[in-house]
Amino acid sequence: MTKIKIVTDSSITIEPQIVEDLEITIVPLSVMVDGVVYSDADLKEGEFLRLMQSSKNLPKTSQPPVGVFAEVFERLGEHADKIISIHMSHALSGTVESARQGATLSNVDVTVIDSSFTDQALKFQVVEAAKLAKAGADLEDILAKIEEVREKTELYIGVSTLENLVKGGRIGRVTGLLSSLLNIRVVMQMKQHELQPIVKGRGVKTFKKWVNDLAVSLKDKKVAEIGISYAGTAELANEMKQILQPCVEKTISVLETGSIIQTHTGENAWAILVRYE
């Protein structure tokens, strides 16, 4: 039986227990706040937000070095025949390219995949792949499942300020928005590696109306799972959970997103990730 291991990066938002149970390896990105470099893996819940609030400049994120990926692959290759390494969209970070170069340097059979997403939308692919790998599935079956999950996933993100996206250079990926409208609430969908605005407005009511509309649209669809992630406090995320839970049987995971996503979205941002059956 071929032994396959699953690797991902720390832009994933996932429960630690699932990582442990499914033996998923997470390679951390790093983030620099006012000249101090922190590994994403070392930042506790809420800690990064406090650092960002008190920082003089917008934090900068860095992808894992090629050598780190090569080392991780070599180490896992001692006990595995093949590795599948699934990462956030190339539009958000050079991490997937770093993984590809690391795979080339290592003497291991590594398949590197661009998930097209990040956060819990990345989690959907990683978890399904890891479940199959643990059950002893072969490479082709796992890759087919990852593709199927990707095709059936939608990622929505709401930001309360565009300032971080503008300063971080990610606003170029957001089409049709004036950067002068920094304090506008925007809901975007990630499609083909681009953030596409779907709703703009002022005040939190913009978000609430959109979520209610989403719940109505999901009523007639077969939803496998929903994830909600947040930067800041969980209050709005928990309200959203109450609205959306009737649309799906599986309990919705409400999780704080990591420093990599928070750097680009700013405070009081959220994401809703939907996977269809």
Side-chain angles (χ1 to χ4, degrees):
M1 189 174 80
T2 307
K3 189 163 189 192
I4 298 174
K5 286 287 186 187
I6 306 300
V7 175
T8 188
D9 61 70
S10 63
S11 76
I12 193 171
T13 302
I14 189 170
E15 298 85 341
Q17 193 61 52
I18 293 176
V19 174
E20 193 178 317
D21 292 347
L22 294 177
E23 298 172 17
I24 297 162
T25 301
I26 299 177
V27 180
L29 282 83
S30 57
V31 59
M32 186 165 73
V33 186
D34 291 339
V36 181
V37 177
Y38 300 86
S39 169
D40 199 28
D42 298 334
L43 292 164
K44 303 288 179 283
E45 191 164 321
E47 188 179 355
F48 175 72
L49 189 64
R50 289 191 291 275
L51 286 169
M52 187 163 69
Q53 286 167 338
S54 60
S55 69
K56 296 183 188 73
N57 305 299
L58 182 73
K60 287 192 171 75
T61 60
S62 296
Q63 66 214 43
V66 172
V68 169
F69 273 115
E71 283 171 20
V72 168
F73 296 151
E74 290 278 2
R75 177 169 51 80
L76 291 174
E78 291 171 12
H79 308 287
D81 304 301
K82 298 175 192 287
I83 294 167
I84 302 173
S85 201
I86 314 169
H87 299 286
M88 72 173 125
S89 166
H90 68 267
L92 301 173
S93 164
T95 298
V96 71
E97 188 51 41
S98 192
R100 283 192 186 112
Q101 291 176 28
T104 306
L105 288 177
S106 71
N107 296 308
V108 188
D109 184 343
V110 185
T111 304
V112 178
I113 291 175
D114 185 330
S115 72
S116 302
F117 295 114
T118 185
D119 198 77
Q120 290 194 62
L122 171 57
K123 176 180 97 167
F124 296 160
Q125 293 176 38
V126 168
V127 167
E128 292 305 308
K131 281 179 184 171
L132 286 176
K134 199 166 185 183
D138 64 22
L139 183 70
E140 287 70 29
D141 287 347
I142 299 174
L143 295 180
K145 185 65 178 180
I146 293 167
E147 178 68 20
E148 180 198 319
V149 171
R150 179 166 65 237
E151 293 293 325
K152 293 181 175 179
T153 296
E154 291 173 355
L155 182 156
Y156 299 99
I157 177 173
V159 295
S160 298
T161 171
L162 292 174
E163 190 174 2
N164 290 51
L165 282 166
V166 172
K167 286 182 179 173
R170 294 304 186 277
I171 201 71
R173 306 284 176 197
V174 183
T175 49
L177 279 178
L178 290 170
S179 58
S180 58
L181 301 173
L182 289 182
N183 291 316
I184 202 163
R185 304 285 201 279
V186 185
V187 180
M188 297 170 277
Q189 182 175 4
M190 193 156 183
K191 273 187 171 177
Q192 274 85 48
H193 302 276
E194 256 195 0
L195 290 171
Q196 302 176 359
I198 47 179
V199 173
K200 303 190 271 277
R202 300 205 177 271
V204 78
K205 65 180 186 297
T206 305
F207 292 157
K208 290 181 179 177
K209 181 183 182 309
W210 178 82
V211 172
N212 280 307
D213 290 346
L214 176 66
V216 171
S217 75
L218 292 179
K219 287 274 194 298
D220 305 322
K221 296 176 183 172
K222 290 184 175 175
V223 180
E225 60 183 320
I226 296 175
I228 301 175
S229 301
Y230 64 90
T233 62
E235 190 181 349
L236 180 61
N238 285 322
E239 279 183 48
M240 290 174 167
K241 177 180 177 176
Q242 288 181 327
I243 295 165
L244 294 173
Q245 190 62 70
C247 305
V248 62
E249 198 174 313
K250 188 176 176 183
T251 302
I252 294 173
S253 295
V254 176
L255 303 170
E256 184 192 40
T257 194
S259 64
I260 304 307
I261 308 295
Q262 289 191 45
T263 296
H264 299 307
T265 63
E267 199 176 344
N268 299 322
W270 51 265
I272 292 176
L273 311 306
V274 183
R275 178 166 78 89
Y276 298 98
E277 288 178 8

